[in-house]
Amino acid sequence: MSIWSSLYTGRSGLTAHGDAINVVGDNIANVSTVGFKSGSANFNDILGQRTNGGQNLGAGVKMGSVSQAFGQGSFLQSGGSLDYAIQGGGFFEVAGESDGIEGNYYTRNGRFSLNNEGLMVNQDGLRVQGYQVDANGDAVGGVGDIEISGQSPPVATTTADMDLNLDPNEVGAGPFDPLDPVNSSDYQTSATVYDSLGNAHDVQMFFTNNGGGAFEWHAMVEGDELNGGTPGVLTEIADGTLAFDTNGNLDTETLNASSADFIGATAGQSIQFDFGDAITTDGGNGSGSSMVAGASTVESFDQDGREPGDLIDVVTSENGTVSGLYSNGETEPLAKLALASFRAPENLRREGDQLWSASRDSGQALLGEAGTSNRGSVASGALEGSNVDLGDELVTLIAYQRAFQANARTIS
């Protein structure tokens, strides 16, 4: 080998270690980059000419590849409701255009937001991928864009459960007169129900003691809230009876009729009023409403209707289920984040902006729910920091610098 070959050998060392220093510099520069994964330089030797003895002489070195290290980065608590970190394996999938190329990309950077169309996107506008869910939060259908609805629709009241105590000693106001309900009932209370438009209506409940543990009840609303009603006059929308045994337990309950034609809403709205677990009617234990001495009072009331609500926040569980919190107090599951796993993630193609794409050597993305297979769990309100170990990088940098200087001396 000539002296000129030695010069080229030294130059290959300078080039390879210069490139390796660049890898270390890239790691150090991204020590604070969310979702960044460090790389390490891999060196390959170069063969030169064959000697008279049949042995191959070395002709230097080249940097063959850069290996990506997908170890877990530390969590940074951000508090953002659409900030996510993955505890364990897997990647978020995002779809859209990156550097002019449309496709699906994968990232550990979970800093997401909503665009003007209500779609969940990353910082570059790529659409986060996930599943639609049913009312129980179970994934349905294939993977697609995640849309966060801005409003919870209204729901008309269909059931109304009221537990109350009726004083057996309050008796004598009857018989009930719908034209004078206040003076012909022994106890009066009110409850709120909703029509199909989400409008709230105040229902006046009147209870008349007919003696012997038997009561009748009447639900009435203001006439100006009903089609055909008379303003200022209460109109009945439901009625029934209650009967208690000698221990004051609810024995029977009936619903004679229930129909309300609220103005502008769906006609004939039926509300099933229920007052407890009646012994004879329901085959129950008589719990719920009671008839014991003491003041008549409502102990609880629950109905299934609601007014419309605006989205005020989102919460996300460990399995990636995204639920909306609405101004009407409702919490509804909206979508579920999809996580991608790969047979050989170290062979993913780096695309920049903390994005990777699938390659032939990495295998195709295997999409699934968080917590399944080798996919990690989702942490909401946190971001995964860079996995760069600054101390290790500085030590590696010193080693590369010395090798670079040594190769320079070879040339000298």
Side-chain angles (χ1 to χ4, degrees), residues 28-49:
I28 294 174
N30 285 283
V31 70
S32 299
T33 302
V34 172
F36 180 81
K37 299 302 178 183
S38 63
S40 58
N42 298 318
F43 297 96
N44 296 328
D45 67 327
I46 302 174
L47 291 179
Q49 66 190 48

Side-chain angles (χ1 to χ4, degrees), residues 141 209 291:
N209 190 346
M291 183 193 68

Side-chain angles (χ1 to χ4, degrees), residues 18-384:
D19 292 340
I21 290 173
N22 184 62
V23 174
V24 175
D26 182 49
N27 291 339
I28 294 174
N30 285 283
V31 70
S32 299
T33 302
V34 172
F36 180 81
K37 299 302 178 183
S38 63
S40 58
N42 298 318
F43 297 96
N44 296 328
D45 67 327
I46 302 174
L47 291 179
Q49 66 190 48
R50 187 180 297 272
T51 65
N52 293 331
Q55 296 295 323
N56 288 324
L57 289 176
V61 67
K62 63 181 178 180
M63 196 181 78
S65 63
V66 178
S67 297
Q68 295 290 152
F70 286 99
Q72 183 79 53
S74 60
F75 280 11
L76 310 171
Q77 298 301 319
S78 67
S81 58
L82 292 180
D83 286 345
Y84 303 118
I86 301 174
Q87 179 66 54
F91 299 82
F92 298 110
E93 183 181 48
V94 293
E97 186 178 295
S98 176
D99 288 336
I101 301 175
E102 187 78 21
N104 292 331
Y105 300 92
Y106 307 93
T107 183
R108 296 279 293 194
N109 181 2
R111 178 169 282 161
F112 302 143
S113 60
L114 297 181
N115 66 10
N116 57 3
E117 297 177 348
L119 299 178
M120 188 183 296
V121 296
N122 74 350
Q123 291 175 293
D124 297 316
L126 277 71
R127 305 178 305 279
V128 182
Q129 301 296 287
Y131 302 94
Q132 294 183 343
V133 294
D134 58 21
N136 297 320
D138 297 324
V140 294
V143 175
D145 298 344
I146 293 179
E147 182 175 1
I148 305 299
S149 174
Q151 189 174 63
S152 173
V155 174
T157 300
T158 59
T159 61
D161 299 330
M162 178 178 287
D163 292 345
L164 73 165
N165 179 64
L166 295 172
D167 187 358
N169 299 316
E170 292 181 357
V171 61
F176 180 76
D177 181 2
L179 298 178
D180 188 16
V182 175
N183 294 317
S184 60
S185 62
D186 298 295
Y187 177 63
Q188 174 186 352
T189 188
S190 64
T192 300
V193 299
Y194 296 89
D195 63 25
S196 61
L197 300 176
N199 295 315
H201 299 276
D202 188 32
V203 177
Q204 300 296 316
M205 303 290 296
F206 299 94
F207 297 85
T208 300
N209 190 346
N210 293 329
F215 287 78
E216 60 180 288
W217 60 268
H218 301 265
M220 310 184 77
V221 298
E222 290 288 344
D224 56 4
E225 298 181 21
L226 299 169
N227 291 315
T230 302
V233 177
L234 289 173
T235 302
E236 188 170 278
I237 62 170
D239 72 292
T241 63
L242 301 174
F244 300 88
D245 63 17
T246 54
N247 293 317
N249 299 315
L250 181 62
D251 185 34
T252 64
E253 58 177 334
T254 63
L255 175 64
N256 297 329
S258 177
S259 181
D261 292 340
F262 293 114
I263 295 175
T266 301
Q269 180 177 339
S270 177
I271 302 175
Q272 302 297 309
F273 289 90
D274 187 271
F275 295 91
D277 193 17
I279 298 172
T280 301
T281 304
D282 303 323
N285 57 12
S287 62
S289 294
S290 60
M291 183 193 68
V292 295
S296 295
T297 183
V298 175
E299 297 173 352
S300 67
F301 177 76
D302 185 38
Q303 55 82 42
D304 61 352
R306 69 187 185 211
E307 62 185 351
D310 294 323
L311 182 69
I312 56 177
D313 203 356
V314 296
V315 293
T316 305
S317 62
E318 290 185 353
N319 68 0
T321 301
V322 182
S323 299
L325 301 181
Y326 295 90
S327 58
N328 58 3
E330 294 296 317
T331 300
E332 298 180 4
L334 301 175
K336 181 170 286 188
L337 293 166
L339 295 188
S341 62
F342 295 88
R343 296 188 183 277
E346 65 276 6
N347 293 322
L348 287 169
R349 185 182 299 111
R350 184 179 175 186
E351 302 290 352
D353 293 325
Q354 297 97 281
L355 298 176
W356 286 270
S357 62
S359 69
R360 182 183 63 182
D361 294 331
S362 71
Q364 294 300 308
L366 305 174
L367 294 174
E369 300 177 28
T372 61
S373 187
N374 61 343
R375 304 175 189 90
S377 60
V378 175
S380 178
L383 296 169
E384 182 183 4

